[in-house]
Amino acid sequence: MLDSASVKVEDKLYQNRYHVDEGRPHVRISPEAAGSATLQTLVKVCPAGCYEQADDGTVEVVPDGCMECGTCRILTDGTGLLEWSYPRGGYGIQFKFG
Ligand code: SF4
């Protein structure tokens, strides 16, 4: 049992579970958009660390652990940089409350 007075965000997030839908990522980057400055911003703002920047500056997304917060979806709305959908039923984040 975690002491609520000293618990860190990372400790709380660690209690969630994620069900991977193999071969069907629910967030994808459009191939021609990988070097976009907007995508580079997502590396810093995604709370789950799903975005990574490679040495050549391109950005990749691995949505395992995605919390479906929608931040990346909002930041790229209307740009065509991302394909974003909720995971299929039974997959994705399973939050632990309490
Ligand atoms: S929805 Fe939120 S947690 Fe999921 S990839 Fe986008 S920013 Fe990260």
Side-chain angles (χ1 to χ4, degrees):
M1 186 68 129
L2 295 172
D3 176 4
S4 62
S6 62
V7 69
K8 296 178 182 174
V9 171
E10 291 80 9
D11 294 333
K12 294 286 281 182
L13 292 176
Y14 186 72
Q15 295 180 49
N16 296 327
R17 295 291 172 259
Y18 192 86
H19 304 280
V20 176
D21 194 357
E22 291 289 346
R24 298 185 66 158
H26 70 283
V27 183
R28 298 176 199 229
I29 294 173
S30 301
E32 60 275 7
S36 157
T38 301
L39 291 180
Q40 292 169 1
T41 300
L42 299 181
V43 175
K44 297 177 182 168
V45 301
C46 173
C50 295
Y51 293 87
E52 289 188 7
Q53 188 168 10
D55 291 340
D56 66 358
T58 59
V59 175
E60 299 175 344
V61 60
V62 178
D64 300 357
C66 169
M67 295 183 285
E68 300 171 20
C69 69
T71 302
C72 60
R73 186 178 187 180
I74 292 169
L75 288 176
T76 60
D77 187 37
T79 64
L81 296 173
L82 287 185
E83 295 174 24
W84 198 105
S85 62
Y86 284 105
R88 293 189 298 159
Y91 296 98
I93 191 80
Q94 177 184 349
F95 292 104
K96 176 170 172 46
F97 297 102

Coordinates of all heavy atoms in Angstrom, one line a residue:
M1 N 0.8 -1.2 0.0 CA 0.0 0.0 0.0 C 0.9 1.2 0.0 O 1.8 1.3 0.8 CB -0.9 0.0 1.2 CG -1.9 1.1 1.2 SD -3.1 0.9 0.0 CE -4.6 1.0 0.9
L2 N 0.6 2.2 -0.9 CA 1.4 3.4 -1.0 C 0.8 4.5 0.0 O -0.4 4.6 0.2 CB 1.3 3.9 -2.4 CG 1.9 3.0 -3.5 CD1 1.6 3.6 -4.9 CD2 3.4 2.9 -3.3
D3 N 1.8 5.2 0.6 CA 1.4 6.3 1.5 C 1.0 7.5 0.6 O 1.9 8.0 -0.2 CB 2.6 6.6 2.3 CG 2.4 7.8 3.2 OD1 1.2 8.4 3.2 OD2 3.3 8.2 3.9
S4 N -0.2 7.9 0.6 CA -0.7 9.0 -0.3 C 0.1 10.3 0.0 O 0.1 11.1 -0.9 CB -2.2 9.2 -0.1 OG -2.5 9.6 1.2
A5 N 0.7 10.5 1.1 CA 1.4 11.7 1.4 C 2.7 11.8 0.7 O 3.3 12.8 0.4 CB 1.6 11.9 2.9
S6 N 3.3 10.6 0.3 CA 4.6 10.6 -0.3 C 4.6 10.0 -1.7 O 5.7 9.8 -2.3 CB 5.6 9.9 0.6 OG 5.2 8.5 0.7
V7 N 3.5 9.6 -2.2 CA 3.5 8.9 -3.5 C 3.8 9.8 -4.7 O 3.5 11.0 -4.7 CB 2.1 8.3 -3.7 CG1 1.0 9.3 -4.0 CG2 2.2 7.3 -4.9
K8 N 4.6 9.3 -5.6 CA 5.0 10.1 -6.8 C 4.0 9.7 -7.9 O 3.5 8.7 -8.0 CB 6.4 9.7 -7.2 CG 7.5 10.1 -6.2 CD 8.8 9.7 -6.7 CE 9.9 10.0 -5.7 NZ 11.2 9.4 -6.1
V9 N 3.9 10.6 -8.9 CA 3.1 10.4 -10.1 C 3.5 9.1 -10.8 O 2.7 8.3 -11.2 CB 3.2 11.6 -11.0 CG1 2.5 11.3 -12.3 CG2 2.5 12.8 -10.4
E10 N 4.9 8.9 -10.9 CA 5.4 7.7 -11.6 C 4.9 6.5 -10.9 O 4.6 5.5 -11.5 CB 6.9 7.8 -11.6 CG 7.5 8.9 -12.5 CD 7.5 10.3 -11.9 OE1 7.2 10.4 -10.7 OE2 7.7 11.2 -12.6
D11 N 4.9 6.5 -9.5 CA 4.4 5.3 -8.8 C 2.9 5.0 -9.0 O 2.5 3.9 -9.2 CB 4.6 5.5 -7.3 CG 6.1 5.6 -6.9 OD1 6.9 5.1 -7.6 OD2 6.4 6.3 -5.9
K12 N 2.1 6.1 -9.1 CA 0.7 5.9 -9.4 C 0.5 5.3 -10.8 O -0.3 4.4 -11.1 CB 0.0 7.2 -9.3 CG -0.1 7.7 -7.9 CD -1.0 7.0 -7.0 CE -2.5 7.4 -7.3 NZ -3.4 6.6 -6.4
L13 N 1.3 5.9 -11.8 CA 1.1 5.4 -13.2 C 1.6 4.0 -13.3 O 1.0 3.2 -14.1 CB 2.0 6.3 -14.1 CG 1.5 7.8 -14.3 CD1 2.5 8.5 -15.1 CD2 0.1 7.8 -14.9
Y14 N 2.5 3.6 -12.5 CA 3.0 2.2 -12.6 C 2.0 1.2 -12.3 O 2.0 0.0 -12.6 CB 4.2 2.1 -11.7 CG 4.9 0.7 -11.8 CD1 5.7 0.4 -13.0 CD2 4.8 -0.2 -10.8 CE1 6.3 -0.8 -13.1 CE2 5.4 -1.5 -11.0 CZ 6.1 -1.8 -12.1 OH 6.7 -3.0 -12.2
Q15 N 0.9 1.6 -11.5 CA -0.1 0.7 -11.1 C -1.1 0.4 -12.2 O -1.9 -0.5 -12.2 CB -0.9 1.2 -9.9 CG 0.0 1.4 -8.7 CD -0.7 1.9 -7.5 OE1 -1.8 1.5 -7.2 NE2 -0.2 2.9 -6.9
N16 N -1.1 1.2 -13.3 CA -2.0 1.0 -14.4 C -1.5 -0.2 -15.2 O -0.3 -0.6 -15.1 CB -2.0 2.2 -15.3 CG -2.6 3.4 -14.6 OD1 -3.5 3.3 -13.8 ND2 -2.2 4.6 -15.0
R17 N -2.3 -0.8 -16.0 CA -1.9 -1.9 -16.8 C -2.3 -1.5 -18.3 O -3.2 -0.8 -18.5 CB -2.7 -3.2 -16.5 CG -2.3 -3.7 -15.1 CD -0.9 -4.2 -15.1 NE -0.5 -4.6 -13.7 CZ 0.3 -3.8 -13.0 NH1 0.7 -2.6 -13.4 NH2 0.6 -4.2 -11.8
Y18 N -1.5 -2.1 -19.2 CA -1.7 -1.7 -20.6 C -1.8 -3.0 -21.4 O -0.9 -3.9 -21.3 CB -0.6 -0.9 -21.2 CG -1.0 -0.3 -22.5 CD1 -1.7 0.9 -22.6 CD2 -0.6 -1.0 -23.7 CE1 -2.0 1.4 -23.8 CE2 -1.0 -0.5 -24.9 CZ -1.7 0.7 -25.0 OH -2.1 1.2 -26.2
H19 N -2.9 -3.2 -22.2 CA -3.1 -4.4 -23.0 C -2.7 -4.0 -24.4 O -3.5 -3.2 -25.1 CB -4.5 -4.9 -22.8 CG -4.9 -5.1 -21.4 ND1 -4.6 -6.2 -20.7 CD2 -5.6 -4.3 -20.5 CE1 -5.0 -6.2 -19.5 NE2 -5.7 -5.0 -19.3
V20 N -1.6 -4.6 -24.9 CA -1.1 -4.3 -26.2 C -2.0 -5.0 -27.3 O -2.2 -6.2 -27.2 CB 0.3 -4.6 -26.4 CG1 0.9 -4.4 -27.8 CG2 1.2 -3.9 -25.4
D21 N -2.4 -4.3 -28.3 CA -3.1 -4.9 -29.4 C -2.0 -5.1 -30.5 O -1.7 -4.2 -31.3 CB -4.2 -3.9 -29.9 CG -5.1 -4.6 -30.9 OD1 -4.9 -5.8 -31.2 OD2 -6.1 -3.9 -31.3
E22 N -1.4 -6.2 -30.5 CA -0.2 -6.5 -31.4 C -0.5 -6.2 -32.8 O -1.5 -6.6 -33.4 CB 0.2 -7.9 -31.2 CG 0.9 -8.3 -29.9 CD 2.2 -7.6 -29.7 OE1 2.8 -7.1 -30.7 OE2 2.7 -7.6 -28.5
G23 N 0.3 -5.4 -33.4 CA 0.2 -5.1 -34.9 C -0.9 -4.1 -35.2 O -1.1 -3.8 -36.4
R24 N -1.6 -3.5 -34.2 CA -2.6 -2.6 -34.4 C -2.5 -1.3 -33.5 O -3.3 -1.1 -32.7 CB -4.0 -3.2 -34.2 CG -4.3 -4.3 -35.2 CD -5.6 -4.9 -35.1 NE -6.6 -3.9 -35.5 CZ -7.8 -4.2 -35.9 NH1 -8.2 -5.4 -35.9 NH2 -8.7 -3.2 -36.2
P25 N -1.4 -0.6 -33.7 CA -1.2 0.6 -32.9 C -2.3 1.6 -33.1 O -2.7 1.8 -34.2 CB 0.2 1.2 -33.3 CG 0.3 0.6 -34.7 CD -0.3 -0.7 -34.7
H26 N -2.8 2.2 -32.1 CA -4.0 3.1 -32.2 C -3.5 4.6 -32.5 O -4.3 5.4 -32.7 CB -4.9 3.1 -31.0 CG -4.3 3.6 -29.8 ND1 -3.4 3.0 -29.0 CD2 -4.6 4.8 -29.1 CE1 -3.1 3.7 -27.9 NE2 -3.8 4.9 -28.0
V27 N -2.2 4.8 -32.4 CA -1.6 6.1 -32.8 C -0.5 5.9 -33.8 O 0.4 5.1 -33.6 CB -1.0 6.9 -31.6 CG1 -0.5 8.2 -32.0 CG2 -2.1 7.0 -30.4
R28 N -0.6 6.5 -34.9 CA 0.4 6.4 -36.0 C 0.8 7.8 -36.5 O 0.0 8.7 -36.6 CB -0.1 5.6 -37.1 CG -0.5 4.2 -36.8 CD -1.1 3.5 -38.0 NE -1.9 2.4 -37.7 CZ -1.8 1.2 -38.3 NH1 -1.0 1.1 -39.3 NH2 -2.6 0.2 -37.9
I29 N 2.1 7.9 -36.9 CA 2.6 9.1 -37.5 C 2.5 8.9 -39.0 O 3.0 7.9 -39.5 CB 4.0 9.4 -37.0 CG1 4.0 9.7 -35.5 CG2 4.6 10.5 -37.8 CD1 5.4 9.8 -34.9
S30 N 2.0 9.9 -39.7 CA 2.1 9.9 -41.1 C 3.5 9.8 -41.6 O 4.3 10.6 -41.1 CB 1.4 11.1 -41.7 OG 0.1 11.2 -41.3
P31 N 3.9 8.9 -42.5 CA 5.3 8.7 -42.8 C 6.0 10.0 -43.3 O 7.2 10.3 -42.9 CB 5.3 7.7 -44.0 CG 4.0 7.0 -43.8 CD 3.0 8.0 -43.2
E32 N 5.3 10.9 -44.0 CA 6.0 12.1 -44.5 C 6.1 13.2 -43.4 O 6.7 14.2 -43.6 CB 5.2 12.7 -45.7 CG 3.7 13.0 -45.4 CD 2.8 11.8 -45.5 OE1 3.2 10.7 -45.7 OE2 1.6 12.1 -45.4
A33 N 5.5 12.9 -42.2 CA 5.5 13.9 -41.1 C 6.6 13.7 -40.0 O 6.6 14.5 -39.1 CB 4.1 14.0 -40.5
A34 N 7.4 12.7 -40.2 CA 8.2 12.2 -39.1 C 9.2 13.3 -38.6 O 9.6 13.3 -37.4 CB 9.0 11.0 -39.4
G35 N 9.6 14.3 -39.5 CA 10.5 15.3 -39.1 C 9.9 16.6 -38.6 O 10.5 17.6 -38.4
S36 N 8.6 16.6 -38.5 CA 7.8 17.8 -38.1 C 8.2 18.3 -36.7 O 8.4 17.6 -35.8 CB 6.3 17.5 -38.2 OG 5.6 18.4 -37.4
A37 N 8.3 19.7 -36.6 CA 8.6 20.3 -35.4 C 7.5 20.1 -34.4 O 7.7 19.9 -33.2 CB 8.8 21.8 -35.6
T38 N 6.3 20.0 -34.8 CA 5.1 19.7 -33.9 C 5.3 18.3 -33.3 O 5.1 18.1 -32.1 CB 3.8 19.8 -34.7 OG1 3.7 21.1 -35.3 CG2 2.6 19.4 -33.8
L39 N 5.7 17.4 -34.1 CA 5.9 16.0 -33.5 C 7.1 16.0 -32.5 O 7.0 15.3 -31.5 CB 6.2 15.0 -34.6 CG 5.0 14.7 -35.6 CD1 5.4 13.7 -36.6 CD2 3.8 14.2 -34.8
Q40 N 8.1 16.8 -32.8 CA 9.2 16.9 -31.8 C 8.7 17.5 -30.5 O 9.2 17.1 -29.4 CB 10.3 17.8 -32.4 CG 11.0 17.1 -33.6 CD 11.9 18.0 -34.4 OE1 12.1 19.1 -34.0 NE2 12.5 17.4 -35.4
T41 N 7.7 18.3 -30.5 CA 7.1 18.8 -29.3 C 6.4 17.7 -28.5 O 6.5 17.7 -27.3 CB 6.0 19.9 -29.6 OG1 6.7 21.0 -30.3 CG2 5.4 20.4 -28.3
L42 N 5.8 16.7 -29.2 CA 5.2 15.6 -28.5 C 6.1 14.8 -27.7 O 5.7 14.2 -26.7 CB 4.4 14.8 -29.5 CG 3.4 15.5 -30.4 CD1 2.7 14.5 -31.3 CD2 2.3 16.1 -29.5
V43 N 7.4 14.8 -28.1 CA 8.4 14.0 -27.3 C 8.4 14.6 -25.9 O 8.6 13.8 -24.9 CB 9.8 14.1 -27.9 CG1 10.8 13.5 -27.1 CG2 9.7 13.5 -29.3
K44 N 8.2 15.9 -25.7 CA 8.3 16.5 -24.4 C 6.9 16.5 -23.7 O 6.9 16.5 -22.4 CB 8.7 18.0 -24.6 CG 10.1 18.1 -25.2 CD 10.5 19.6 -25.4 CE 11.9 19.7 -26.0 NZ 12.2 21.0 -26.5
V45 N 5.8 16.5 -24.4 CA 4.5 16.7 -23.7 C 3.8 15.4 -23.4 O 2.9 15.4 -22.5 CB 3.6 17.7 -24.4 CG1 4.3 19.0 -24.6 CG2 3.2 17.1 -25.8
C46 N 4.1 14.3 -24.1 CA 3.3 13.1 -23.9 C 3.6 12.6 -22.5 O 4.8 12.3 -22.2 CB 3.7 12.1 -24.9 SG 3.0 10.4 -24.5
P47 N 2.6 12.5 -21.6 CA 2.9 12.1 -20.2 C 3.3 10.6 -20.1 O 3.9 10.2 -19.1 CB 1.6 12.3 -19.5 CG 0.6 12.3 -20.6 CD 1.2 12.8 -21.8
A48 N 3.1 9.8 -21.1 CA 3.4 8.4 -21.1 C 4.7 8.1 -21.8 O 5.2 7.0 -21.8 CB 2.3 7.6 -21.7
G49 N 5.4 9.1 -22.4 CA 6.6 8.9 -23.1 C 6.5 8.0 -24.3 O 7.4 7.3 -24.6
C50 N 5.4 8.2 -25.0 CA 5.2 7.3 -26.2 C 6.0 7.8 -27.4 O 6.1 7.0 -28.4 CB 3.7 7.3 -26.6 SG 2.7 6.5 -25.3
Y51 N 6.4 9.0 -27.4 CA 7.2 9.6 -28.6 C 8.6 9.7 -28.3 O 9.1 10.1 -27.2 CB 6.6 11.0 -28.9 CG 5.2 11.0 -29.4 CD1 4.2 11.1 -28.5 CD2 4.9 10.9 -30.7 CE1 2.8 11.0 -28.9 CE2 3.6 10.9 -31.2 CZ 2.6 10.9 -30.2 OH 1.3 10.9 -30.7
E52 N 9.4 9.3 -29.3 CA 10.9 9.3 -29.2 C 11.5 10.0 -30.4 O 11.0 9.7 -31.5 CB 11.5 7.9 -29.0 CG 11.2 7.3 -27.6 CD 11.9 6.0 -27.4 OE1 12.8 5.7 -28.2 OE2 11.6 5.4 -26.4
Q53 N 12.5 10.7 -30.2 CA 13.2 11.4 -31.3 C 14.5 10.6 -31.6 O 15.3 10.4 -30.7 CB 13.5 12.8 -31.0 CG 14.0 13.6 -32.2 CD 14.0 15.1 -32.0 OE1 13.8 15.6 -30.9 NE2 14.3 15.8 -33.0
A54 N 14.6 10.2 -32.9 CA 15.8 9.5 -33.3 C 17.0 10.5 -33.5 O 16.8 11.7 -33.5 CB 15.6 8.7 -34.6
D55 N 18.2 10.0 -33.7 CA 19.3 10.8 -33.9 C 19.2 11.7 -35.1 O 19.8 12.8 -35.2 CB 20.6 10.0 -34.0 CG 21.0 9.3 -32.7 OD1 20.5 9.8 -31.6 OD2 21.7 8.3 -32.7
D56 N 18.5 11.2 -36.1 CA 18.3 12.0 -37.3 C 17.2 13.0 -37.2 O 16.8 13.7 -38.2 CB 18.1 11.1 -38.5 CG 16.7 10.3 -38.5 OD1 16.0 10.5 -37.5 OD2 16.5 9.6 -39.4
G57 N 16.6 13.2 -36.0 CA 15.5 14.2 -35.8 C 14.1 13.7 -36.1 O 13.2 14.4 -35.7
T58 N 14.0 12.5 -36.7 CA 12.6 12.0 -36.9 C 12.0 11.5 -35.6 O 12.7 11.2 -34.7 CB 12.6 10.9 -37.9 OG1 13.4 9.8 -37.4 CG2 13.1 11.4 -39.3
V59 N 10.7 11.5 -35.6 CA 10.0 11.2 -34.4 C 9.2 9.9 -34.6 O 8.6 9.7 -35.7 CB 9.0 12.3 -33.9 CG1 8.2 11.9 -32.7 CG2 9.8 13.5 -33.6
E60 N 9.3 9.0 -33.6 CA 8.6 7.7 -33.7 C 7.6 7.6 -32.6 O 7.8 8.2 -31.5 CB 9.5 6.5 -33.7 CG 10.5 6.5 -34.8 CD 11.6 5.4 -34.6 OE1 11.7 4.9 -33.5 OE2 12.2 5.1 -35.6
V61 N 6.5 6.9 -32.7 CA 5.6 6.7 -31.7 C 5.4 5.2 -31.4 O 5.2 4.4 -32.3 CB 4.2 7.4 -31.9 CG1 3.5 6.9 -33.2 CG2 3.3 7.3 -30.7
V62 N 5.4 4.9 -30.2 CA 5.1 3.5 -29.7 C 4.0 3.7 -28.6 O 4.3 4.1 -27.5 CB 6.3 2.8 -29.1 CG1 5.9 1.4 -28.6 CG2 7.4 2.7 -30.2
P63 N 2.8 3.5 -29.0 CA 1.7 3.9 -28.1 C 1.4 2.9 -26.9 O 0.5 3.1 -26.2 CB 0.5 4.0 -29.0 CG 0.8 3.1 -30.2 CD 2.3 3.1 -30.3
D64 N 2.3 1.9 -26.7 CA 2.1 1.1 -25.6 C 2.3 1.9 -24.3 O 3.3 2.6 -24.2 CB 3.2 0.0 -25.6 CG 3.1 -0.9 -26.8 OD1 2.2 -0.7 -27.6 OD2 4.0 -1.8 -26.9
G65 N 1.3 1.9 -23.5 CA 1.3 2.8 -22.3 C 0.6 4.1 -22.4 O 0.4 4.8 -21.5
C66 N 0.1 4.3 -23.6 CA -0.7 5.5 -23.9 C -1.9 5.6 -22.9 O -2.6 4.6 -22.7 CB -1.2 5.5 -25.3 SG -2.5 6.8 -25.7
M67 N -2.1 6.8 -22.3 CA -3.1 7.0 -21.3 C -4.4 7.6 -21.9 O -5.3 8.0 -21.2 CB -2.6 7.9 -20.2 CG -1.5 7.2 -19.4 SD -1.0 8.2 -18.0 CE -0.1 9.5 -18.8
E68 N -4.4 7.7 -23.2 CA -5.6 8.3 -24.0 C -5.9 9.7 -23.4 O -7.1 10.0 -23.4 CB -6.8 7.3 -23.9 CG -6.4 5.9 -24.5 CD -7.5 4.9 -24.2 OE1 -8.7 5.3 -23.9 OE2 -7.2 3.7 -24.3
C69 N -4.9 10.5 -23.1 CA -5.2 11.8 -22.6 C -5.6 12.8 -23.7 O -6.3 13.8 -23.4 CB -4.0 12.3 -21.9 SG -2.6 12.7 -23.0
G70 N -5.2 12.5 -24.9 CA -5.6 13.3 -26.1 C -4.7 14.5 -26.3 O -5.0 15.2 -27.3
T71 N -3.6 14.6 -25.6 CA -2.8 15.8 -25.8 C -2.2 15.8 -27.2 O -2.3 16.8 -27.9 CB -1.6 15.8 -24.8 OG1 -2.1 15.8 -23.5 CG2 -0.7 16.9 -25.0
C72 N -1.7 14.7 -27.7 CA -1.1 14.7 -29.0 C -2.2 14.9 -30.1 O -1.9 15.5 -31.1 CB -0.3 13.4 -29.2 SG -1.3 11.9 -29.1
R73 N -3.3 14.4 -29.8 CA -4.4 14.5 -30.7 C -4.8 16.0 -30.9 O -5.1 16.5 -32.0 CB -5.6 13.7 -30.2 CG -6.8 13.6 -31.2 CD -7.8 12.7 -30.6 NE -8.9 12.5 -31.5 CZ -10.0 11.8 -31.3 NH1 -10.1 11.2 -30.1 NH2 -10.9 11.6 -32.2
I74 N -4.9 16.7 -29.8 CA -5.3 18.1 -29.8 C -4.2 18.9 -30.5 O -4.5 19.8 -31.3 CB -5.5 18.6 -28.4 CG1 -6.8 18.0 -27.8 CG2 -5.6 20.1 -28.3 CD1 -7.0 18.2 -26.3
L75 N -2.9 18.7 -30.1 CA -1.8 19.5 -30.7 C -1.7 19.3 -32.2 O -1.1 20.1 -32.9 CB -0.5 19.1 -30.0 CG -0.4 19.7 -28.6 CD1 0.9 19.2 -27.9 CD2 -0.5 21.2 -28.5
T76 N -2.1 18.2 -32.7 CA -2.0 17.9 -34.1 C -3.3 18.0 -34.9 O -3.3 17.7 -36.1 CB -1.3 16.5 -34.4 OG1 -2.2 15.5 -33.8 CG2 0.1 16.5 -33.8
D77 N -4.3 18.4 -34.2 CA -5.6 18.5 -34.8 C -5.6 19.3 -36.1 O -5.1 20.4 -36.1 CB -6.7 19.1 -33.8 CG -8.1 19.0 -34.4 OD1 -8.4 18.0 -35.0 OD2 -8.8 19.9 -34.1
G78 N -6.1 18.7 -37.2 CA -6.2 19.4 -38.4 C -4.9 19.4 -39.2 O -4.9 20.0 -40.3
T79 N -3.8 18.9 -38.7 CA -2.6 18.9 -39.4 C -2.3 17.7 -40.3 O -1.5 17.7 -41.2 CB -1.4 19.0 -38.4 OG1 -1.4 17.8 -37.6 CG2 -1.5 20.2 -37.5
G80 N -3.0 16.6 -40.0 CA -2.8 15.3 -40.7 C -1.5 14.6 -40.3 O -1.1 13.7 -41.0
L81 N -0.9 15.1 -39.2 CA 0.4 14.5 -38.8 C 0.2 13.1 -38.2 O 1.1 12.2 -38.2 CB 1.1 15.4 -37.8 CG 1.6 16.7 -38.4 CD1 2.1 17.6 -37.3 CD2 2.6 16.5 -39.4
L82 N -1.0 13.0 -37.5 CA -1.2 11.7 -36.7 C -2.5 11.1 -37.2 O -3.5 11.7 -37.6 CB -1.4 12.0 -35.2 CG -0.2 12.4 -34.4 CD1 -0.6 12.5 -32.9 CD2 0.9 11.4 -34.5
E83 N -2.5 9.8 -37.1 CA -3.8 9.0 -37.1 C -4.0 8.5 -35.7 O -3.2 7.8 -35.2 CB -3.6 7.8 -38.1 CG -3.4 8.2 -39.5 CD -3.1 6.9 -40.4 OE1 -3.6 5.8 -40.0 OE2 -2.5 7.1 -41.4
W84 N -5.1 8.9 -35.1 CA -5.4 8.6 -33.7 C -6.8 8.0 -33.6 O -7.7 8.6 -34.1 CB -5.3 9.9 -32.9 CG -5.1 9.8 -31.4 CD1 -3.9 10.0 -30.7 CD2 -6.1 9.5 -30.5 NE1 -4.1 9.8 -29.4 CE2 -5.5 9.4 -29.2 CE3 -7.4 9.1 -30.5 CZ2 -6.1 9.2 -28.0 CZ3 -8.1 8.8 -29.3 CH2 -7.4 8.8 -28.1
S85 N -6.9 7.0 -32.9 CA -8.2 6.4 -32.6 C -8.1 5.7 -31.2 O -7.0 5.5 -30.7 CB -8.6 5.4 -33.6 OG -7.7 4.3 -33.6
Y86 N -9.2 5.5 -30.6 CA -9.2 4.7 -29.3 C -8.8 3.3 -29.6 O -9.2 2.8 -30.7 CB -10.5 4.8 -28.6 CG -10.7 6.1 -28.0 CD1 -11.6 7.1 -28.5 CD2 -10.1 6.5 -26.8 CE1 -11.8 8.3 -27.9 CE2 -10.3 7.7 -26.2 CZ -11.1 8.6 -26.8 OH -11.3 9.8 -26.2
P87 N -8.2 2.6 -28.7 CA -7.9 1.2 -28.9 C -9.2 0.4 -29.0 O -10.2 0.8 -28.5 CB -7.1 0.7 -27.7 CG -6.6 2.0 -27.1 CD -7.6 3.1 -27.5
R88 N -9.1 -0.8 -29.6 CA -10.3 -1.7 -29.7 C -10.7 -2.1 -28.2 O -9.8 -2.1 -27.3 CB -10.0 -2.9 -30.5 CG -9.7 -2.7 -31.9 CD -9.7 -4.0 -32.7 NE -8.6 -4.8 -32.3 CZ -8.5 -6.1 -32.5 NH1 -9.5 -6.7 -33.2 NH2 -7.5 -6.9 -32.1
G89 N -11.9 -2.5 -28.1 CA -12.3 -3.0 -26.8 C -11.5 -4.1 -26.3 O -11.1 -5.0 -27.0
G90 N -11.1 -4.0 -25.0 CA -10.3 -5.0 -24.4 C -8.8 -4.7 -24.4 O -8.0 -5.4 -23.9
Y91 N -8.4 -3.7 -25.2 CA -7.0 -3.3 -25.3 C -6.8 -1.9 -24.8 O -7.8 -1.1 -24.6 CB -6.6 -3.4 -26.8 CG -6.7 -4.7 -27.3 CD1 -7.8 -5.2 -28.1 CD2 -5.6 -5.6 -27.1 CE1 -7.8 -6.5 -28.6 CE2 -5.7 -6.9 -27.6 CZ -6.8 -7.3 -28.3 OH -6.8 -8.6 -28.8
G92 N -5.6 -1.5 -24.7 CA -5.2 -0.2 -24.2 C -5.1 -0.1 -22.7 O -4.9 -1.1 -22.0
I93 N -5.2 1.1 -22.2 CA -4.9 1.4 -20.8 C -6.0 0.8 -19.9 O -7.2 0.9 -20.3 CB -4.8 2.9 -20.5 CG1 -4.2 3.2 -19.2 CG2 -6.1 3.7 -20.8 CD1 -2.8 3.0 -19.0
Q94 N -5.6 0.3 -18.8 CA -6.6 -0.2 -17.8 C -6.1 0.5 -16.5 O -5.1 0.2 -15.9 CB -6.5 -1.7 -17.6 CG -7.4 -2.2 -16.5 CD -7.3 -3.7 -16.3 OE1 -6.7 -4.4 -17.0 NE2 -7.9 -4.1 -15.2
F95 N -6.9 1.6 -16.1 CA -6.5 2.4 -15.0 C -6.8 1.7 -13.7 O -7.8 1.0 -13.6 CB -7.3 3.7 -15.0 CG -6.8 4.6 -16.1 CD1 -7.6 4.8 -17.3 CD2 -5.6 5.3 -16.1 CE1 -7.2 5.6 -18.3 CE2 -5.2 6.1 -17.1 CZ -6.0 6.3 -18.2
K96 N -5.9 1.9 -12.7 CA -6.2 1.4 -11.4 C -6.6 2.6 -10.6 O -5.8 3.5 -10.4 CB -5.0 0.7 -10.8 CG -5.2 0.3 -9.4 CD -4.1 -0.6 -8.9 CE -4.1 -0.9 -7.4 NZ -5.2 -1.3 -6.8
F97 N -7.8 2.6 -10.0 CA -8.2 3.7 -9.2 C -8.1 3.4 -7.7 O -8.2 2.2 -7.3 CB -9.7 4.0 -9.5 CG -9.9 4.4 -11.0 CD1 -10.4 3.6 -11.9 CD2 -9.6 5.7 -11.4 CE1 -10.6 4.0 -13.2 CE2 -9.7 6.1 -12.7 CZ -10.3 5.2 -13.6
G98 N -7.8 4.4 -7.0 CA -7.7 4.2 -5.5 C -6.3 4.0 -5.0 O -5.4 4.0 -5.8
Ligands
SF4_1 S1 -3.0 10.4 -26.1 FE1 -1.7 11.3 -24.4 S2 -0.6 9.5 -23.5 FE2 -1.4 8.8 -25.5 S3 0.3 9.1 -27.0 FE3 -1.0 11.0 -27.0 S4 -0.1 12.4 -25.5 FE4 0.8 10.3 -25.1

